[in-house]
Amino acid sequence: MSNTFGRILRLTTFGESHGKAIGGVIDGFPAGIAIDFARINRQMARRRPGQSALTTERKETDKPEFLSGIFEGKSTGAPIAFVIQNADKRSSDYDHLRTVNRPGHADETYTAKYGHRDHRGGGRSSARETANWVVAGALASHLLPGVEVLAYTSQIGEVVVPAGSLVTPESIDAHPSRMPVSEYARKAEAIIAQFKKTGDSIGGKVRVEVRGLMPGLGEPIFDKLSARLAYAMMTINATKAFEIGSGTRAAFMKGSEHNDAPDTGGVFSSNNAGGVLGGISTGRTLYFEVTFKPTASISLAQKALDSSGQVIDLEINGRHDPCVVPRAVPVVEAMTWLVLADFYLMSKINA
């Protein structure tokens, strides 16, 4: 089982959704970096369950306890180890799933691969694991001063934030949906609330804008910045697609339309490349979108396979998000920071 992410800045994680704790070890983090613990806790609060009426009712404080690698508020260069306690577990909610493969989940594939699985909330395959990534991403953000990563909800169902909308950190967190435009946020939140009421779920998209990124990050051929970002985003639970720059719109464009040309002042009026050319950052705004499927765990009756291969009627109990997108926003942001920080450290080694 692959549990390590990164080249120079490496995150190795452990734990299950209903185990005693989850946690991780970050290796390759430079020494002497002053750590902003408030920033870490703020990001954790944005991801934690139970934060609004639109999310699961599970309550977790999600305060990481740092065991090593930080002394007197600064990184020492040693591995940074941390744990996050699992406090609000209701494992009995999953007793009826011990011999059932939940539709849309990894139960079937984990059993096929390992022959044994933790049925309590999905165990290692649970999105609970992403809390570890948010800790690591918040730490990674310390390594790129002057760079701003803005992740936000760009779509819930048929509600889409218009391209070019003004986005700020404040406008993102002003709404529980993390959709930065009030008019659309209200519509999106009404949709999520309705799906929660009926026991169904809805999908959506997270958009990322990286501002102030220096040119030259990324490696040609097999370690492109765009490829590593895609790999990172497709690692996140429930992701179904990654699009950078013009994305799938490029299929409808001519070369004369798609190529980004500067005006006489050297300013580019378009950015179809999304801030990456040849797998290397251009220095212009890097942007991409990540598509998330509807939450697989729904309380509506469904058909499912049990461990003997019989089709059964299933109603999933427990506490689940009717839409994963609002809580996925800080996870997408964290994975972006991890990729960018890793490439930044690689550039320093190669300098």
Side-chain angles (χ1 to χ4, degrees), residues 103 198-200 296 298-304 312-317:
T198 60
D200 212 336
I298 58 176
S299 58
L300 295 179
Q302 304 176 82
K303 296 294 183 181
I312 64 169
D313 292 315
L314 175 67
E315 292 185 17
I316 299 177
N317 302 318

Side-chain angles (χ1 to χ4, degrees), residues 59-128:
K59 300 289 185 181
E60 297 285 357
T61 57
D62 280 355
K63 292 290 181 68
E65 177 187 358
F66 291 96
L67 307 178
S68 67
I70 300 174
F71 179 67
E72 294 182 341
K74 292 184 177 181
S75 59
T76 65
I80 299 176
F82 62 90
V83 294
I84 306 167
Q85 300 298 322
N86 289 331
D88 186 21
K89 299 172 293 183
R90 294 184 189 172
S91 300
S92 60
D93 286 350
Y94 298 89
D95 286 348
H96 68 299
L97 299 173
R98 183 180 292 273
T99 60
V100 177
N101 293 324
R102 296 168 298 169
H105 282 275
D107 299 348
E108 176 184 353
T109 51
Y110 265 53
T111 301
K113 184 172 180 65
Y114 299 107
H116 182 60
R117 66 178 174 87
D118 184 348
H119 67 280
R120 303 167 303 168
R124 186 76 175 135
S125 69
S126 170
R128 179 80 183 127

Side-chain angles (χ1 to χ4, degrees), residues 127-148:
R128 179 80 183 127
E129 153 74 9
T130 62
N132 293 325
W133 309 352
V134 173
V135 175
L139 285 166
S141 71
H142 289 66
L143 304 180
L144 289 162
V147 176
E148 184 178 36

Side-chain angles (χ1 to χ4, degrees), residues 6 18 85 88 182 234:
H18 285 243
Q85 300 298 322
D88 186 21
S182 297
M234 293 303 293

